[in-house]
């Protein structure tokens, strides 16, 4: 019986090592500490679009790192699309530099104003999951309507994230505000998914 337990532990360890969390999107916000004339920026920058009748923010894109910024006249900026935390910070700094260059030298990147609002990541647990069993056992924090969406929506309380769990064993984690909370969410859901692993 001891050898069986040891084998199970080895199997679980091997499976845990396989789980690779891939960051797909980082959304951050920051204040540039000054008001901005969005019309002036739109006229001066090629990669910007501004239509205040449709949307109150100026939309600017850069290729490296490939991101999009929503820039508001209040000086608030939201950057989305980065696949690494360092890219998110670098992109924010580049947008500030562009804004400085077109006549707003008082716009600043201040690290303490930089906040991660959302991180989305994907991972593959490498085994199929019985979603019907999972929804039955965890109905208070789960929603599963296969006619509308193929994934089970699992709302984790700690860390506060939402996981989209698919039969294939693939999972999308969203709502995290740090890499630690992404890691923690994956570690917390792993034993639950293992319990509802489909037997071949």
């Amino acid at each position: 019986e001891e050898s069986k337990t040891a084998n199970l532990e080895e199997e679980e360890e091997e499976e845990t090592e396989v789980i690779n969390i891939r960051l797909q999107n980082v959304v951050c916000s920051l204040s540039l500490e000054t008001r901005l004339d969005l019309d002036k920026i739109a006229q001066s920058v090629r990669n910007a679009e501004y239509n205040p009748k449709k949307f109150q923010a100026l939309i600017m894109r850069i290729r490296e790192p490939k991101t999009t910024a929503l820039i508001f006249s209040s000086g608030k900026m939201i950057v989305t699309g980065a696949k690494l935390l360092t890219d998110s910070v670098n992109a924010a700094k580049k947008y500030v530099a562009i804004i400085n260059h077109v006549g707003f030298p008082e716009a600043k990147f201040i690290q303490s104003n930089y906040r991660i609002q959302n991180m989305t990541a994907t991972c593959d647990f490498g085994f199929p999951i019985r979603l019907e069993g999972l929804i039955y056992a965890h109905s208070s924090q789960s929603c599963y309507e296969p006619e509308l969406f193929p994934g089970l929506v699992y709302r984790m309380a700690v860390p506060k994230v939402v996981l989209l769990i698919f039969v294939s064993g693939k999972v999308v984690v969203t709502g995290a505000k740090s890499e630690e909370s992404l890691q923690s969410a994956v570690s917390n859901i792993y034993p639950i998914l293992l319990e509802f692993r489909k037997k071949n």
Side-chain angles (χ1 to χ4, degrees):
E1 205 167 290
E2 278 179 25
S3 62
K4 275 185 188 174
T5 309
N7 286 346
L8 280 175
E9 283 174 7
E10 278 175 29
E11 276 177 32
E12 283 183 22
E13 278 175 28
E14 282 170 22
E15 283 160 5
T16 309
E17 288 170 22
V18 173
I19 301 162
N20 182 15
I21 303 169
R22 293 184 58 200
L23 206 48
Q24 299 296 337
N25 187 24
V26 178
V27 179
C28 72
S29 67
L30 63 150
S31 170
L32 306 182
E33 300 288 310
T34 187
R35 292 195 64 78
L36 301 169
D37 179 346
L38 300 182
D39 282 313
K40 182 179 177 184
I41 296 170
Q43 288 162 12
S44 310
V45 180
R46 210 168 25 122
N47 52 342
E49 54 190 80
Y50 180 50
N51 185 344
K53 289 189 181 110
K54 281 188 180 175
F55 188 54
Q56 288 300 304
L58 176 135
I59 301 165
M60 192 185 299
R61 292 180 176 86
I62 57 174
R63 285 201 183 111
E64 196 52 48
K66 190 178 178 195
T67 52
T68 301
L70 304 177
I71 303 164
F72 297 85
S73 59
S74 64
K76 181 171 173 153
M77 179 167 72
I78 296 167
V79 179
T80 184
K83 290 186 183 277
L84 298 169
L85 286 174
T86 52
D87 282 353
S88 177
V89 171
N90 291 339
K93 288 178 179 175
K94 280 188 177 183
Y95 289 115
V96 172
I98 293 166
I99 292 165
N100 291 158
H101 186 72
V102 296
F104 298 92
E106 63 280 5
K108 293 176 177 57
F109 176 89
I110 299 170
Q111 189 69 45
S112 60
N113 287 342
Y114 174 90
R115 300 252 188 289
I116 293 171
Q117 298 299 336
N118 184 18
M119 294 171 76
T120 302
T122 56
C123 57
D124 188 347
F125 284 86
F127 54 82
I129 299 155
R130 291 182 297 110
L131 297 182
E132 293 80 6
L134 181 52
I135 186 72
Y136 184 75
H138 295 267
S139 58
S140 62
Q141 62 260 57
S142 303
C143 173
Y144 180 48
E145 296 181 44
E147 310 82 34
L148 302 176
F149 182 69
L152 180 143
V153 179
Y154 187 98
R155 295 182 191 286
M156 191 174 279
V158 179
K160 193 171 184 224
V161 297
V162 174
L163 297 100
L164 306 177
I165 303 166
F166 297 90
V167 175
S168 64
K170 290 185 170 58
V171 174
V172 178
V173 185
T174 188
K177 293 191 188 275
S178 69
E179 285 183 315
E180 293 77 21
S181 60
L182 279 175
Q183 191 68 53
S184 177
V186 170
S187 298
N188 292 352
I189 201 70
Y190 180 75
I192 296 168
L193 298 185
L194 206 54
E195 189 185 338
F196 296 98
R197 177 181 189 159
K198 273 188 179 172
K199 304 286 187 276
N200 294 344

